[in-house]
Amino acid sequence: MKLYSRREMVRNTLIGIAAGAAIAAVPLTIAGRNGGNGADDAEIPEAEIAEIPAESEIVPEKTEADLQNEKIAELSQKYENLLSRVSTIANAETKYTIDEQQNIAVYKKCNEAVVNITTQEMAYNWLFEPMLEDGGSGSGSIIDKRGYVVTNVHVISNASRINISLADGSAYEGKVVGADVESDIAVLKFDPNGKELRTIDFGNSNNLKVGQKVIAIGNPFALERTMTTGIISGLGRPIQESSNVIIRNMIQTDAAINPGNSGGPLLDSNGKMIGINTMIISNSGSSAGLGFAVPVSTAQRVVNDLIQFGKVNRGKIAITPVQMSSTIASYINSAAGQAAGLSKVRITNGILVSAVTAESSTEKSGLRGGTFPVRQRYSRSNSFNLGGDIITQIDSVQVATYADYMSALESKHPGDTVSVTVYRDGEYVKLSVKLD
């Protein structure tokens, strides 16, 4: 009603101005023969009558008032058009902000492609009879209409049975196609039985920026297909997931990720998967704004290998690796070690090369294995050789632990050549090693 009153007020004002201008422009007319008190009109000679144009040919010259009226009419029409546009926008269904509309669009596009994964594990009752009991739960993304699902390894670890639930409530039994512990990525497969599946497309994680908006969809605390939003808080984070696994180049986000989100997608504002939500860092076990996702550049390579081969074909250094420690260093530097002809060492970490596989590319590269056999105390089977090279760096990755060693080779393929720095006879030597 307020918009209508303003329009009427402006229209009336413009009409008033136009009317006033028109009145001011009209000349006074003296009444003639048929009028009141004025003098009789003079007769017009016939010769002059012939020169007067017909009424249809008469085009009155525009006065200043006419031009003003036209201008007022033009402005009035423009104002009417503007009011119409404002009214249309105000009455349209634009109840949401641009950011909200974006969130709604991504959720609508992707939520049906996010699955809920629950597992059952084999256990034994008090009579030692085998039985299935509830295991873990998590999320996954349908990446292929044939029923392929990507998730985390830890979501399905120790599972005897895997159940996959879709957005429409239907449930299927999933089978493990392949699992890769080094990246914590697993691929499952279920038979959709002709059902048309929604899928999530892989995006690009190579050009991500800190501050970029991200969206997570998953099943935290069994609340299916929950969406949370946030930003990328950091890139290239090396996160140690277990004693032997460091996942490098992780995406850090403040989007709320809780138990049950693991394996679900981290999406960009276009609904493309840029990461797989994997873990949180929290003292309470709930979201503390420190969530981490495996970048899709890693996931895509791993998934392709798992589907094709059932495992990831990584390049490897053909050695028997042993974690270097202060205990080993102390023994090498002891009287017994020196009596055995071992060179003293000044480092206590790295990967000790116990043995090199014969006739391998690693052996041809010049990497040396140990020659003096020892075994750990109280163990008859865990023996290894001392005196070999100690790997301290692979390419640009410093190698202090076995997890570092595995992480440095995570993205390598057979036939790739890497630069390996070793500690040998008190000096650092750099070798070029072709991976087997």
Side-chain angles (χ1 to χ4, degrees), residues 86-246:
V86 171
S87 178
T88 300
I89 294 172
N91 294 329
E93 294 185 5
T94 54
K95 296 180 277 187
Y96 311 106
T97 65
I98 294 176
D99 187 58
E100 289 171 337
Q101 292 180 57
Q102 194 176 61
N103 294 341
I104 292 168
V106 170
Y107 186 79
K108 183 178 181 181
K109 176 182 178 182
C110 299
N111 86 91
E112 293 182 9
V114 177
V115 301
N116 187 20
I117 299 173
T118 57
T119 64
Q120 292 178 298
E121 299 176 2
M122 185 63 68
Y124 296 90
N125 62 18
W126 62 283
L127 292 175
F128 297 102
E129 296 172 332
M131 56 178 289
L132 289 175
E133 64 178 14
D134 291 340
S137 64
S139 306
S141 300
I142 302 175
I143 57 172
D144 190 288
K145 292 183 179 295
R146 293 172 293 176
Y148 286 101
V149 174
V150 62
T151 186
N152 287 144
V153 172
H154 72 263
V155 170
I156 60 166
S157 60
N158 303 319
S160 297
R161 180 184 175 90
I162 300 171
N163 301 306
I164 298 175
S165 300
L166 306 189
D168 62 2
S170 58
Y172 302 84
E173 182 176 359
K175 300 295 183 182
V176 178
V177 175
D180 181 56
V181 175
E182 282 76 10
S183 62
D184 196 13
I185 293 175
V187 174
L188 311 179
K189 175 75 166 63
F190 70 94
D191 185 359
N193 293 322
K195 182 190 290 289
E196 184 70 17
L197 300 176
R198 296 288 293 272
T199 62
I200 295 179
D201 296 330
F202 287 126
N204 186 349
S205 60
N206 295 324
N207 299 314
L208 300 179
K209 303 293 182 184
V210 173
Q212 179 177 334
K213 177 182 174 179
V214 290
I215 298 169
I217 302 179
N219 307 290
F221 304 111
L223 298 173
E224 295 189 353
R225 278 160 284 282
T226 296
M227 182 178 79
T228 55
T229 64
I231 63 170
I232 293 177
S233 305
L235 294 167
R237 304 298 197 201
I239 303 298
Q240 184 154 355
E241 189 180 42
S242 67
S243 59
N244 291 329
V245 175
I246 292 178

